[in-house]
Amino acid sequence: MKIDFFIIGAPKCGTTSLVEYLSSHPDIGFSKIKEPHYFSTDFPGYQVNQNYESFISTCFPLENEEKLKYGEGSVFYLYSAVAVKNILDYNPNAKFIVMLRNPVDLVYSLHAQLLFTGDEKINSFSDAWKMCEIRRSQNKQIPTTCREPFFLQYDKMGLLGENLERLYSMVPENQRKTIVFDNFITKTKQAYMETLSFLDLDYDGRDEFPQVNVNTKVYFQLINSIVRYPPKV
């Protein structure tokens, strides 16, 4: 098998919901780990596997029947300097789906998500924003539990335009699709059907589209940190 399509970002833009919908389609085999980040070799902290055979066996275990399309959804591929090139070297015909939203809403929600996962420790988004340049230039105030310091640079994470330009310069128009979050929320069925058409798949009749992975807030950060990163005995 070879992976046919990739949902490459952006984070907090509805990608988890889209993955949930596509995963239930009878002709799609979706990665069992939503975000393996195998092809973003410049973000090793987020790679589930660095060996291709292990990556495939972990994310695409053998199934009873072959699927028409296989996909995965690593949202930080959009920010990677090498992921798109690596994907095209792997599969020149790969298709790319990008989900976008208001950059202000994006970085605010991303901060909440990074707090929840333990990658961020500054509770106030305003204070975390002020630390961007210090973290970038002085490599300070970066939590030891942070898997990829670049993702704490909220000012850079909101620059969707330059990342789209890189994608558009490398990927032919017929191999890329952009979905705007507001349209996805208000016209979910239409967006789903258009995505299936983009992937050359038939509509499966799905009519229910519950939201998945809504914005998360951590109320007890110490408990969350202990659960996710238990101390060594």
Side-chain angles (χ1 to χ4, degrees), residues 4-202:
D4 303 285
F5 69 94
F6 299 81
I7 302 174
I8 68 168
K12 311 309 297 179
C13 291
T15 58
T16 302
S17 292
L18 182 60
V19 166
E20 180 72 16
Y21 309 152
L22 293 176
S23 296
S24 68
H25 192 285
D27 294 328
I28 292 178
F30 210 90
S31 172
K32 302 305 178 184
I33 298 175
K34 182 212 168 197
E35 301 183 34
H37 284 98
Y38 172 77
F39 293 95
S40 53
T41 52
D42 49 347
F43 299 148
Y46 267 73
Q47 286 183 290
V48 173
N49 301 100
Q50 297 181 354
N51 174 273
Y52 179 74
E53 287 73 21
S54 297
F55 159 57
I56 292 296
S57 62
T58 300
C59 296
F60 299 92
L62 294 176
E63 302 181 24
N64 294 329
E65 57 181 334
E66 290 292 319
K67 302 293 185 178
L68 294 180
K69 301 288 181 179
Y70 291 90
E72 64 120 307
S74 301
V75 297
F76 292 117
Y77 282 164
L78 181 64
Y79 298 92
S80 169
V82 300
V84 173
K85 180 182 182 304
N86 288 341
I87 290 171
L88 290 173
D89 288 343
Y90 162 77
N91 181 2
N93 297 315
K95 291 191 174 183
F96 297 82
I97 299 170
V98 186
M99 303 185 73
L100 306 175
R101 71 188 297 185
N102 183 316
V104 176
D105 296 334
L106 186 157
V107 295
Y108 184 80
S109 294
L110 176 62
H111 170 259
Q113 181 67 29
L114 293 178
L115 273 175
F116 182 75
T117 58
D119 293 279
E120 175 64 277
K121 297 297 185 183
I122 301 177
N123 288 306
S124 165
F125 173 72
S126 176
D127 291 343
W129 178 272
K130 293 174 183 176
M131 291 302 300
C132 287
E133 182 57 36
I134 293 175
R135 284 170 160 172
R136 180 163 50 244
S137 61
Q138 301 180 27
N139 200 34
K140 293 182 178 180
Q141 299 295 321
I142 298 174
T144 57
T145 52
C146 180
R147 290 167 291 174
E148 177 48 60
F150 176 76
F151 302 151
L152 300 178
Q153 298 179 22
Y154 303 106
D155 52 349
K156 295 292 186 181
M157 298 299 288
L159 298 178
L160 298 175
E162 63 183 40
N163 294 295
L164 283 175
E165 286 181 4
R166 179 174 58 245
L167 174 69
Y168 289 177
S169 69
M170 300 176 66
V171 180
E173 185 175 358
N174 67 334
Q175 289 178 230
R176 61 180 194 253
K177 177 176 177 59
T178 302
I179 301 174
V180 178
F181 180 72
D182 290 348
N183 294 337
F184 180 68
I185 292 299
T186 58
K187 301 178 181 179
T188 308
K189 181 177 179 179
Q190 178 180 330
Y192 175 68
M193 293 178 67
E194 289 175 354
T195 300
L196 292 178
S197 177
F198 170 68
L199 297 175
D200 299 316
L201 293 173
D202 294 331

Side-chain angles (χ1 to χ4, degrees), residues 214-231:
V214 294
N215 197 28
T216 306
K217 187 172 183 179
V218 177
Y219 290 97
F220 301 101
Q221 189 175 42
L222 176 60
I223 296 175
N224 180 69
S225 180
I226 292 174
V227 169
R228 290 179 174 270
Y229 303 97

